[in-house]
Amino acid sequence: MSDDRRPYTRRLTHAEAELWTVVTASVRPFRARPAPVEEPAAPAHQPAEPLRVKSPAPVPHLDRPPPPKPPTPLVEIDHRTRVKIKRGRLDVSAKLDLHGLRQDEAQRALNAFLRRAQADGAKVAIVVTGKGLSREEGGILRRVVPMWLQAPNLRDVVVGFGEAARHHGGEGALYVQIRRADRRRG
């Protein structure tokens, strides 16, 4: 086969050419550049409008301090640590039961408990929240205690947390891994 052959082309019939003209008449370029708009010249007897100078926009990084870095997320207690706790090879040094407390009381008790446990050198603590009355929603403390544990005021105390094993309370309790007092975040 030789490469000097031209591809087959045919001419459009009159009807096809008319149809093509109608179709292409409504087509616009995908990225059409706007035509330059010519402004009419101002009449000679009216004074030109004074130029308006825009004030420079404030530079955000020079006007205010940089936003604080987002805190590193707490880690779920790893499987190995959970197994050590379950088998009794890692002692649960402290336990707090929040049953019967109101939210504000429970939050104060949790903060004080965790700081005291850290000062005593505890590595892992159990916080009992209870399962709540409704199985679907769970109790209010069960929902809010994880948020409290992630709060900035406890970042220097809490390393991570996770659901406790069944014999420690299961869904109604949390293991809280406590940061060593000499390794506080600054």
Side-chain angles (χ1 to χ4, degrees):
M1 254 198 213
S2 69
D3 291 325
D4 57 350
R5 286 197 274 168
R6 292 190 333 202
Y8 174 75
T9 58
R10 75 172 180 87
R11 299 209 173 258
L12 297 177
T13 64
H14 183 66
E16 290 171 334
E18 281 182 15
L19 179 61
W20 183 249
T21 305
V22 170
V23 169
T24 57
S26 64
V27 175
R28 298 284 175 250
F30 181 67
R31 291 187 185 193
R33 291 185 182 147
V37 178
E38 291 183 25
E39 294 186 22
H45 65 279
Q46 287 184 345
E49 196 174 305
L51 291 176
R52 294 182 186 166
V53 178
K54 266 186 159 177
S55 62
V59 179
H61 67 293
L62 296 178
D63 292 345
R64 56 191 117 137
K69 292 180 183 176
T72 55
L74 294 176
V75 295
E76 177 82 15
I77 291 182
D78 61 294
H79 178 71
R80 214 153 98 195
T81 305
R82 189 182 302 277
V83 169
K84 284 181 184 178
I85 297 168
K86 188 175 179 178
R87 293 183 180 164
R89 288 189 284 155
L90 182 60
D91 287 335
V92 176
S93 311
K95 184 176 181 179
L96 174 67
D97 191 345
L98 297 175
H99 278 106
L101 297 180
R102 294 186 176 132
Q103 283 187 60
D104 60 335
E105 297 168 335
Q107 188 171 17
R108 282 193 305 268
L110 179 68
N111 288 340
F113 165 75
L114 290 174
R115 296 213 179 270
R116 193 170 49 252
Q118 183 184 43
D120 293 344
K123 292 181 180 180
V124 178
I126 293 181
V127 177
V128 179
T129 61
K131 294 179 183 177
L133 299 175
S134 169
R135 284 280 189 206
E136 295 82 37
E137 294 178 19
I140 187 71
L141 291 180
R142 183 175 168 209
R143 290 192 306 257
V144 297
V145 166
M147 290 187 286
W148 295 343
L149 292 172
Q150 294 177 37
N153 65 325
L154 287 177
R155 285 299 170 115
D156 61 332
V157 179
V158 178
V159 175
F161 62 93
E163 189 176 296
R166 178 174 273 166
H167 70 280
H168 281 137
E171 296 174 2
L174 295 169
Y175 291 134
V176 179
Q177 199 168 5
I178 299 174
R179 191 178 309 281
R180 283 180 23 188
D182 60 343
R183 293 199 179 169
R184 286 187 175 184
R185 291 180 158 191

